[in-house]
Amino acid sequence: MPDAAAIIPAGGAGLRMGLATPKQFHLLAGAPILIHTIRAVAQAPSIGTIILAVPADQLTTTRQLLVAHNLIDRVQVVAGGEQRQDSVNNGLTLVPETTEFVVVHDGVRPLVTAALIEDCLHAARKTGAAIAAVPVKDTLKAVDDNYRIRKTVDREGLWQAQTPQVARTSLLRRALAAAAHDNFIGTDEASLIARLGAEVTVVTGAENNIKITRPGDLPIAEALLGEKNSMRNSNAMRIGHGYDAHRLVEGRPLVLGGVTIDHPKGLLGHSDADVLTHALCDAILGALGEGDIGKHFPDNDPQYKGINSIKLLTQVMELAKKKGYVLANGDVTVIAQAPKLAPHMAQMRKNLARACDCDADRINLKATTTETMGFTGRGEGIATHAVVLMQQA
Ligand code: MG
């Protein structure tokens, strides 16, 4: 159950970017930075309400953006204020009284992960407040107005604050009220909370959780975002396995991989009983998450009686194409005591590759006996295993 609300302050004009539109609206991989940030925050299971604070003159544009990106039902928009804490304060007016925690996250940190948000929440549930931060890596110099180094600052125990910054809702309200009362302006929520003497825990943040503040940050963020999305896109490659076995009987032709092979017995089945092609179809359907061959071509359907299974494979590949996949490669093992399959392999590969609309070298065929063991070894039937990797086209 969500016990937290998120406030995303994006009220700033982003002057450091030196550009006309506020930086939070700049495009990153085809969508405004802010949209990436909202999507990332919305992934955290503990987050219910999401409140976005934007410059007052951007309220309409922002709502249109949220509609365009299907986020309007998930996000409430408020006008930000002059300072960050004014924006957070305005956002807090929309946080339901029953919401225990508030997560404040910069609008221009689109690379935050749900895991980091949850880690900060976990820490805040124990101590009342927690923020993400990373230890300072570089050597720090104190420099004067003439660019002269005055001293090297010991970085021991120094951390760079990031967001998310999480606090118990009541604590954050008190901190903001106290700051307003004292005319204190802080650069983050933790500094306001610390003024109350309350404890703020640090959670190790992520180096990738960068804040986009300068034009040079955009290509870096774009590259990192691409990496994050490609890792998340687990559908780019899909694996599938297929297995089939058919009985060898007299009076039937033996068809394997679309090749009719001279043999005293053939495979029994509703179709041409091409066990090799069936296993390959099942592997592809498996990779697509589309069940099995029996679901698509029922063996009691008269239209499939005696059908050439290569036609079924062609239809399976049409389904794959419709779902946006091509065959990256397949590996097929036929288990048969007899006949010898080597002389037919090249033609089989050609038939299968044509149906799969790929080069023959993408489909590997192997045959093995079981040294007279089991039903294949006794010549009672032939079995086939197939594995495929399907790739998003
Ligand atoms: Mg079959």
Side-chain angles (χ1 to χ4, degrees), residues 4 7 20 25 51 79 111 115 118 142 149 155-156 185 204 208 211 213 227 235 267 293 315 375:
I7 297 176
F25 296 105
I51 300 151
L111 288 148
E118 293 296 330
I149 292 172
R155 70 180 170 208
E156 179 70 26
I185 294 167
T204 304
N208 282 1
K211 187 175 188 179
T213 48
E227 207 171 280
N235 284 330
L267 294 171
I293 196 168
Q315 286 184 42
F375 73 87

Side-chain angles (χ1 to χ4, degrees), residues 109 116 120 130-136 157-165 188 190 200-207 209:
R109 282 191 201 268
L116 182 57
C120 290
I131 70 164
V134 287
V136 170
L158 288 184
W159 290 59
Q160 280 173 262
Q162 300 184 333
T163 69
Q165 302 211 348
D188 67 352
V200 182
T201 317
V202 160
V203 170
T204 304
E207 296 291 345
N209 182 24

Side-chain angles (χ1 to χ4, degrees), residues 3-8 49-51 76 78 88-104 167-170 172-173:
D3 64 347
I7 297 176
I8 302 176
T49 310
I50 299 176
I51 300 151
Q76 300 179 59
V78 287
V88 173
N89 222 351
N90 293 355
L92 262 178
T93 59
L94 294 183
V95 172
E97 277 306 319
T98 50
T99 300
E100 271 198 81
F101 290 91
V102 172
V103 174
V104 180
R168 208 167 267 291
T169 312
S170 53
L172 184 60
R173 284 190 207 277

Side-chain angles (χ1 to χ4, degrees), residues 129-208:
I131 70 164
V134 287
V136 170
K137 283 189 302 197
D138 297 322
T139 301
L140 295 176
K141 303 291 185 192
V143 178
D144 70 15
D145 290 346
N146 295 317
Y147 298 94
R148 279 185 304 229
I149 292 172
R150 284 294 166 216
K151 65 170 182 175
T152 297
V153 180
D154 183 9
R155 70 180 170 208
E156 179 70 26
L158 288 184
W159 290 59
Q160 280 173 262
Q162 300 184 333
T163 69
Q165 302 211 348
V166 183
R168 208 167 267 291
T169 312
S170 53
L171 178 60
L172 184 60
R173 284 190 207 277
R174 265 198 294 136
L176 283 159
H181 178 267
D182 304 339
N183 274 324
F184 176 83
I185 294 167
T187 50
D188 67 352
E189 291 62 51
S191 59
L192 309 185
I193 292 164
R195 286 182 75 240
L196 301 179
E199 192 185 322
V200 182
T201 317
V202 160
V203 170
T204 304
E207 296 291 345
N208 282 1

Side-chain angles (χ1 to χ4, degrees), residues 231-272:
M231 281 196 289
R232 194 190 293 158
N233 185 6
S234 54
N235 284 330
M237 292 277 195
R238 291 184 64 111
I239 194 168
H241 170 255
Y243 171 77
D244 197 19
H246 281 259
R247 197 180 288 278
L248 273 170
V249 294
E250 277 168 16
R252 291 267 303 181
L254 175 61
V255 182
L256 288 173
V259 177
T260 306
I261 298 168
D262 193 26
H263 193 60
K265 289 180 175 180
L267 294 171
L268 182 64
H270 181 67
S271 63
D272 63 3

